Each structure stands twice: as C-alpha cells, then as structure tokens.
Amino acid sequence: MSSWSDGYVSNINYTYGYYSELNPNNAVIPFLMAGLALPESILQGQYNACELGFGQGVSLNIHATAGYAKWYATDFNPSHTNFARHLSDAAGNSTMIADQGFNEFCQRDDLPEFDFIALHGIWSWISNENRTIVVDFIRRKLKVGGILYISYNTLPGWSAASPLRHLLAEHHQAMTSSSNEYLQNVQQSLEFVEKIFQQCARLTQNAPNLIPRIQDLKEKNLTYVAHEYLNQNWQPQYFSDIQKWLEPAKLTFACSSCYLDDFPQTVYSQEQRQLIEGFTDPTFTQTVKDFILNTQFRKDYWVKGARQLNHYEQVETWKKLRVLLHTPREKIEMKVSRYLTVGLNANLFNPVLDLLQDNKIHSVKAIIEKLKNHLTETDIFSVLAILQAKMHLVMVQSDEAIEQARPHCEAFNRYILQQSRSAQFPASYLASPITGGACHLGTIENWFLLAHLEGIAKNKHIDFAWDLLKANGLNMVKDGKTLHDDKKGKLRMEECYYEFMENQMPYLKRMGII
C-alpha cells in the first residue's frame, strides 16, 4: 500500500454516493427541534463550509453548486480529487479542492474560519495521529456557534461483527493486492472467511449474525466492502469516546442528523423511555441509547458553543423558514418508522397536509397564521419535522439563493445527463437549486430527462432512450428478470416512461431541475 495513503485503501476509488447530511441546510430543522441556535450565516446565506475526506466529491459538488456556501475540501487520493475538480469545472462552482492529507491541508494558511465542517465516515478509518490533527483543525477553524457533522462506526453495534472484519482484513492483506487484482482478492477473502466461520460453531453460536452478514457483504459492491472493512486503521468507538476526542475542540453534542433518531416514539419502548428519562448526564444518555439500539453507525451534529433558544426565539426562527411538500398527498402514510413503527395523529397532520398538498412553496409563518385556530405552533413544528425526516418535505432556500444557484445547477445537471449516455458513468445525482441538495434518477430516467432537455419530440423520447440502451449493450429488466426479447423490452421501457412522466417529471419540476 502506498505511503501517501497512510493505511487507507487507495488501490481502488471510493463509491459515487450522495449524503444529504453534508448539506448544511439539513441541519436547520434538527437543531430547531433540539431547541438550539444555528449560525446566523447558515440561515441567511454566504458562509464558509469544509469537507475533510470527500471521496469522489459528489456531495461536495452538489452542495457547492446548489447551495450558497463557499466550500473548501480535501481528499488525499489524487484520483478522487481529479474527478471532483472535473465536476466542479463543469458546474463552475469555484470550490477549493485539494489532494492533500489532513496534516498538510489543516496547516494551510489560506483557509478561512468555517461555519460548517463535515466528516462523513472517515473518522473510523484514520489513525489517532490524524484524529488529533483533525480535532486541532476544528478547534482553530470552526467558528463559535459553528456546526460539525461527523459520522462514524459505533460501538457496541460493531462488536459482534469485529471478528469478521479482523479475519477478512488479515486474509486479504496476505494476498497479492495489485490494483488489477484487488477486487478479485476482496471476493476471494469473503469466500474464504465464510468457509472458516462454517467451522467455528462456538463463535457463531455466540454471534449468529456473522454468517448472514458475510452473505450480505457478498451481494454488496466490492468497492464498498474494501473501504468499509479493509483499511489499516479501523476503530469503531463508543459515543463517550467521541465526546472525549472532541472536547479539546470545545464541541458539545447537538442532535442527530435525522430527527427521527431523536424522536422518542420511534426510538424507545415505554420502559426504555422511562429508563432514559432518568439520566441527567447527556453523554451517558447517548451511550446508553447506543446500547439499547445496538447502534452501528451514528450521524450527528455537534456545535461549538451550544446556545439554547427560548420559545420566542425558536418560533421566530421557524417563521423565517420556507418548506415544500414534494410527495403527493395520497402517497404519504400515516405512520412513521425508525427503530419502531408508530401511527401518526391524523388530527395534527391532516390540517398541515391539506395546506401543503398543492406542492407549492409555503412560508412557515404563513402556515402558522392559517392554522392558528386548529394547531399550536409546537404541533406545527413537530409535523413539519417529521415530514422532513420522512423525506416528504424539504426546506427551501431563499429566492436569492435559488437564482444564484440555478445557472450552476443547470450546467452541472446538463453535464451529468450528457455523461449518462454511457451507462458506465458512475455519478447519477442531479443538483436542486430549491433545496441546495440532490435528486436521484436511474439510468433510464436520466435518458428520458435528457431527451426532454434536448428538445426531442415527446413521441420520440422512448426511441431515444431505447437507442442508448442498445448502444450500451443493455437490456430492460422486469420483476428481476432480464428481457432479452426486444419487443418485450420496448414494452417495458414504455411502462417506465409513463411512470416517469406521471411521477418523476412533476417532482423534478418542484425541485427546480426543469
């Protein structure tokens, strides 16, 4: 393994995923539900944000393209940096993208102070030396009141699977790991470890999920398996350990990135709630929470200098927000699921849904005014927070931010769609100026949208997508079966097109993609 990688998997590139938690706009509602003040700059626009270890830079570029933050970022892998810069150039988003390790990047003297710093997953896979560097960077560069997003592999959830990771990494390390053999060796290591565990009755009786977990990994993208399991440094941690690490940076835990992870009804049984409510120490409370839930991965916001909002401040901040219900009313179920599934109070939700079902942008201030005779402000906030956590509702950026982002989003999306002509192009997310975040379409849907944007006649959209399908040597699939017969394949594509026009097109219009 090359020395510049510092023990991190560098033989193969990271996956091309998008992570909404890295969008600073998505921190607003969880913070308000926790009763905490947000940086005014995030609420008003024009602020600085930083991502450490951005992978392929898909999330980074979408947020830099569609939002109003100025982003600075680094990833030590030059292939990642090259792709991320390529996306940035296509969008014209002026993001500062470096290919430096944390030690070098964090000592730069040309970086501003930040209102938002993000670390997605990387914390679990770097050395203690690099963790120390990162914490010092946060201490020096995160503004007072600023937000840290950090996600990491968590104990005790990873305890049972740690033997699998250890044996997999040991076997893989003993094999040849040249770049052209790397993924093949990952597959062989999975199969080898499976054989070993089949002979480890005493171990698997105590940890019965080990063999099913291997089966699950064999069905996953091998690139994901390599980056998740095969780094030299791999250290899941208890919440209390993270608190000790971040304490020198003067950070305190704010809330989970998804409100449902803090919503007691979807997290705890009645007996568990009574237990949790008896604790006064917040660190111990979060640690016990992870034991109750057997948490494997946490996605949290921390804040440098938490400030509690009084009721007046909380209401006034909510009133400044704008929201959009993007899911058709009839598709919203009156239940919510996280760790537990609970029914929703129709008397609370229906008045709000009645108001928002036109799928237009509404100010929270106007919602409160229109429903003041039916619901309390607190009830309205809870409904909006749950709808957002269920991914039916989004917070909308200011008109100024939308107009500023729109030409960059159009350029970015045009590039992604043009590149989608090759099914091998790995990035598949589009940038929304409405939310500052991403929208995802499948390959076929991308081709339908490209046909629309290219001005091709509607009655030719299916032919356009069909020609691209054949040019890529692909076939349609229905009910998990590949349709080798072109006639059946064309009929399936027609079904997909009509579904796209009925469902995705209205959604894309609401998101400002078209």
Side-chain angles (χ1 to χ4, degrees), residues 425-474:
F425 184 70
S428 57
Y429 292 90
L430 304 177
S432 165
I434 302 298
T435 68
C439 300
H440 180 263
L441 292 178
T443 301
I444 302 296
E445 288 78 14
N446 276 335
W447 294 340
F448 293 151
L449 179 56
L450 179 59
H452 172 81
L453 295 178
E454 294 278 286
I456 296 171
K458 281 189 177 182
N459 62 353
K460 298 295 184 181
H461 286 187
I462 295 173
D463 291 334
F464 175 84
W466 181 259
D467 289 343
L468 285 173
L469 183 83
K470 294 289 106 178
N472 280 276
L474 301 176

Side-chain angles (χ1 to χ4, degrees), residues 112-139:
E113 289 188 320
F114 298 104
D115 298 277
F116 187 88
I117 295 177
L119 290 157
H120 182 69
I122 195 74
W123 180 267
S124 299
W125 305 320
I126 58 177
S127 64
N128 282 338
E129 178 184 0
N130 274 315
R131 290 191 182 106
T132 301
I133 291 169
V134 167
V135 171
D136 178 68
F137 176 78
I138 295 168
R139 179 187 63 80

Side-chain angles (χ1 to χ4, degrees), residues 409-410 412-418 420-421 428-431 439-456 461-462 464-465 468 496-497 500-501 504-509 511-514:
C409 290
E410 289 175 355
F412 179 89
N413 295 340
R414 174 73 68 170
Y415 173 78
I416 295 295
L417 291 170
Q418 289 289 1
S420 77
R421 290 172 180 269
S428 57
Y429 292 90
L430 304 177
C439 300
H440 180 263
L441 292 178
T443 301
I444 302 296
E445 288 78 14
N446 276 335
W447 294 340
F448 293 151
L449 179 56
L450 179 59
H452 172 81
L453 295 178
E454 294 278 286
I456 296 171
H461 286 187
I462 295 173
F464 175 84
L468 285 173
C496 292
Y497 178 72
F500 171 79
M501 293 300 294
Q504 274 84 24
M505 279 293 276
Y507 169 75
L508 293 170
K509 290 178 180 178
M511 294 295 102
I513 305 295
I514 53 176

Side-chain angles (χ1 to χ4, degrees), residues 138-152:
I138 295 168
R139 179 187 63 80
R140 291 183 293 107
K141 287 297 185 178
L142 185 64
K143 289 181 180 180
V144 172
I147 297 171
L148 170 73
Y149 167 72
I150 183 170
S151 58
Y152 58 95

